[in-house]
Structures are given as structure tokens and as C-alpha cells.
Amino acid sequence: MSYIPPHKRHTKASPSPKPTPAPESLIPAFRKNLNFMSFGEHKRKEKYLNEIRYAHDAVRKWFPICLTDDSHFSSLVKLEPVSVDRKSGEKPLSFVLVQGCSEGTNELMDEPWRLVAKSVMKDLLLSFQRVKCEMEESNMEQLKPALVARFGRILFYGISANSQESLNSNPLGEAMLRQMKKSFYTNVPLSYMEYIGNLAVEKLGLEYVEEKELYYVKLSDNVRSDLTVTCKCTVVKDQEKIQLHKIEVNGVRNMVEDMSCLGKSLDLRLMLFTKRIMTALSDEEINGIKNLIGSAVMDSEVKGGLRWPFGKDYSGSQYAVIGVWHTTAKSYGNSLIRFKLRHADRFDFRSSTGEVAQEANLKMPGIVSQLWKQAIDENLVLKMLEDNLRLIWDHCLTDGSSS
């Protein structure tokens, strides 16, 4: 029989083909997005947003701060375009005071940190209690809660043509702002990093703690498809290699409260989150991860600072490299607060995109230690929160360009 090319071959008639089943990998994601929860189920569930996880009962809020009279809201504020280095092509907007209003005028509060502390206090106590309950139930991972203030800009998205027309003809109101998409942009100017470094040492009397260079290798896990495994790695200087220090999974955000700080050049995010250290890995899983880390080649010419030889960026059928962070960070602090100033070079293997950012945050271990106590002194926690917020308002919400 003569040869028949594949594209000219005919098959026997057969019944109508069955529809192609949905890939199994999509089914868990579909069910997860529906967020089913059976009645009587008390174990905490989590919502996923890319690699960011929010506790099912997480507190998530945005509110503007500093105006003395909300009835003047629409006449004192506006949205204006802002230029930032983001992956999205959509032009973000920033929420600011109109020209002519500034800090120290009658329109702005004298002590906004007091209002913020009282507003946040109830949510903080409730969220931390939920963390305690989860830690009592968890037998797979070691959880480490942290309370942190981040500095940056709240960006607003999603102004359609109709909304833009409405925005131009009607006063700007909180209802419209709450409906818009938002993100918190943490990349701050280099001048701000220098300003905070000098502030921490000179004005606040904090001690220099340490400087660290770390690599974070992000892995997908085909066995636990809902997790992103993060390998925290240190540098072996004499060998120009990295070595595994700690294995974590997606941190969980329990409370996120974003504040547009009117009259300031930066906004504020207060966040309670828990880091999760993996402790229930088999020897085979640990060896697979170590082999992945050991195959990495340090290369300052590539985004993220690491590359892998061909075929070495995955381990069997379970783990695969999906992202890299190269960070250098300085920290200053005392027993109650700690400033961390970080330079981060990130690369996402899935989207082939990267970013370089300067980021600053203030951790509050003093408050966390009080929240751990069996009998919490709420007045003391409130006072500590007010003190930290006053420090932030007085010193940390300027971009440093005029310092």
C-alpha cells in the first residue's frame, strides 16, 4: 500500500465526539472561585488573589483621613492622573487635595492619628484573636503574625467614559471612590529612603540592626496547587551560590486598612498578616527543593539576579520556578518598632515581567507582643498604636524630596 500523508488520512465514521472534559487543574480553581462553604464548617477558609491570600474573614477597608468636616469633602478633594511604573496599561489616578489646601489649614485635623488609632483598634483586636484561634488549630505550618505600616500611594482605577463625564459634572464623593478598583503602590523615591534612614538614626534614636542580602525563589507546587512556595535563601559569598534558609508558603493578610492621607505626599497602609513556615515536608520534597536552589546561577545581568541552566528550573513533576526576588535591606529599631528599607529586584517567569522597587515599612513588634498576652491591656495597646501613628504622621508621610 502506498504511503498516505497524515493530513489526507480518513478515519472510520464514529458517533459524535464527546465534549472535551475540562482539565482537572481548572476544576479546583473553579470551585475555589465559587468559594463554597458547607454549613457548620468552622475551619477558616481563604480567598486567593494571585499569590496574595486574604483570610476568609479578613478586614479590608479604605478611607480618607485628615478632613475636619466631611460636608466639604467634594469641594476639597480631586482625582488626578499619576505616572507610575506599573504592568497595567491603565492610567491610575491619585486622590489629593485641591490646590490651595495644605497641611496646617483649618480644613485638616490637628491630630489625625488619634482618630485612626480608635478606628483601627477594634479591627486589630478582632483580627488578632482570629489569628490566635487559627494557630491553635494549625498542625501543618508555623504561623508568625506581624503588624506593619507601609508607605506609598493608593492608586485608583476603573474610570469609564460615563464615569469620567459624571466625575467632571458632579462633585466627587466617597461612594464613587469606594466603587473604584484600588492598589497600593509601594515604590518610593530614593530620596525618601535616604530621609528615613537618617530620620531613624538621628531623630528617633533607633539603633542600626543589620543589613541583609536575600534571594526569594518562588515555586509552584503541583501537589498543593493552591500554594506558592517561597524559598528564602542566603548568599554563600566565597562560592557565589545561594543556600536554602527557610521555606514559607503564601502569607495571609488578616487585616488591611488603607488610608488616603490628605495633605501628605504619601499614603498609609496598616496591615496584620501571618507568615507561614512549612514544617510538614517529606525528605524527598526537601531534597527536591534543595536541588532546585543548588542549580541556581547568580547573574547580575538578569532580572531577579538568578538564572537556571536549561532543564534545571523544575524538580520532577512537583516543583517549578515561577519567580525570583533579589533584595537588600537595612533595618533600624528598638524593642517596640523596626524600620526596614528594602531594595527589591523582582522577576516573574510566567509573565516574563520584572520590576525594581525601593520600599519602606515600619513593623510594630511591641504591639504584637502585647496582643499575645492572655489578658490584653487594651488601653496600653491603644496608647502604643497612637504613639506609632503620631510618629508616622509627623515624619513618614513625606516623600523626602523637600527634606
Side-chain angles (χ1 to χ4, degrees), residues 333-352:
N334 55 31
S335 60
L336 299 179
I337 61 172
R338 176 175 290 199
F339 274 107
K340 178 179 283 188
L341 309 178
R342 180 170 72 176
H343 172 87
D345 178 5
R346 302 182 177 95
F347 185 70
D348 188 323
F349 283 55
R350 296 161 298 184
S351 61
S352 297

Side-chain angles (χ1 to χ4, degrees), residues 22-228:
E24 291 184 6
S25 61
L26 296 181
I27 296 174
F30 175 71
R31 290 175 178 163
K32 174 182 66 182
N33 289 337
L34 289 181
N35 198 27
F36 286 128
M37 181 178 292
S38 58
F39 291 104
E41 184 178 9
H42 298 294
K43 185 176 180 181
R44 297 180 66 206
K45 301 293 182 181
E46 292 158 352
K47 296 177 182 178
Y48 303 89
L49 179 61
N50 297 325
E51 295 175 14
I52 299 173
R53 300 171 98 183
Y54 287 87
H56 176 72
D57 45 15
V59 176
R60 300 175 66 179
K61 292 182 179 179
W62 166 83
F63 51 93
I65 232 31
C66 282
L67 291 182
T68 56
D69 187 352
D70 290 341
S71 64
H72 295 161
F73 183 88
S74 60
S75 62
L76 296 176
V77 298
K78 65 177 181 177
L79 287 171
E80 64 178 18
V82 59
S83 296
V84 294
D85 184 18
R86 299 304 298 260
K87 299 173 188 176
S88 171
E90 188 176 358
K91 189 74 172 180
L93 301 169
S94 181
F95 180 56
V96 298
L97 287 174
V98 297
Q99 191 172 4
C101 295
S102 61
E103 189 175 7
T105 63
N106 294 332
E107 291 87 358
L108 300 182
M109 296 178 183
D110 291 331
E111 299 180 337
W113 58 84
R114 294 190 186 277
L115 176 61
V116 174
K118 289 178 181 178
S119 300
V120 169
M121 183 69 176
K122 181 179 178 181
D123 295 334
L124 177 60
L125 293 173
L126 178 61
S127 298
F128 203 90
Q129 184 58 43
R130 289 169 175 165
V131 172
K132 285 182 178 179
C133 292
E134 181 178 2
M135 293 187 70
E136 291 174 359
E137 298 173 3
S138 176
N139 56 7
M140 177 182 174
E141 300 146 343
Q142 180 182 345
L143 307 182
K144 286 190 172 182
L147 178 63
V148 63
R150 290 183 174 175
F151 314 117
R153 296 307 304 266
I154 298 172
L155 304 180
F156 294 79
Y157 301 86
I159 290 287
S160 63
N162 291 337
S163 298
Q164 186 66 57
E165 183 178 343
S166 174
L167 191 61
N168 293 334
S169 59
N170 297 302
L172 178 64
E174 285 193 49
M176 177 180 289
L177 291 167
R178 293 187 189 283
Q179 293 172 3
M180 295 176 66
K181 295 183 294 182
K182 305 174 191 68
S183 66
F184 197 83
Y185 184 64
T186 57
N187 192 7
V188 296
L190 181 59
S191 59
Y192 180 81
M193 302 288 279
E194 296 170 348
Y195 163 70
I196 291 293
N198 293 331
L199 166 79
V201 175
E202 296 175 6
K203 292 186 178 179
L204 304 180
L206 303 180
E207 294 183 1
Y208 171 79
V209 179
E210 61 184 350
E211 181 173 2
K212 280 186 177 181
E213 179 182 14
L214 295 171
Y215 285 86
Y216 295 85
V217 180
K218 306 277 186 175
L219 307 177
S220 63
D221 184 343
N222 287 333
V223 174
R224 308 174 186 88
S225 59
D226 59 339
L227 298 183
T228 297

Side-chain angles (χ1 to χ4, degrees), residues 253-283:
R253 296 180 176 183
N254 309 93
M255 183 193 81
V256 178
E257 306 216 358
D258 290 337
M259 284 151 270
S260 293
C261 303
L262 299 170
K264 298 289 189 177
S265 52
L266 294 176
D267 298 318
L268 174 64
R269 164 172 284 182
L270 283 181
M271 181 167 65
L272 176 68
F273 68 97
T274 48
K275 286 187 175 181
R276 302 180 164 211
I277 301 171
M278 290 291 287
T279 57
L281 293 174
S282 67
D283 291 342

Side-chain angles (χ1 to χ4, degrees), residues 340-370:
K340 178 179 283 188
L341 309 178
R342 180 170 72 176
H343 172 87
D345 178 5
R346 302 182 177 95
F347 185 70
D348 188 323
F349 283 55
R350 296 161 298 184
S351 61
S352 297
T353 57
E355 66 172 357
V356 176
Q358 310 281 349
E359 300 168 338
N361 64 59
L362 173 64
K363 286 190 174 181
M364 308 180 195
I367 292 178
V368 172
S369 65
Q370 291 296 322

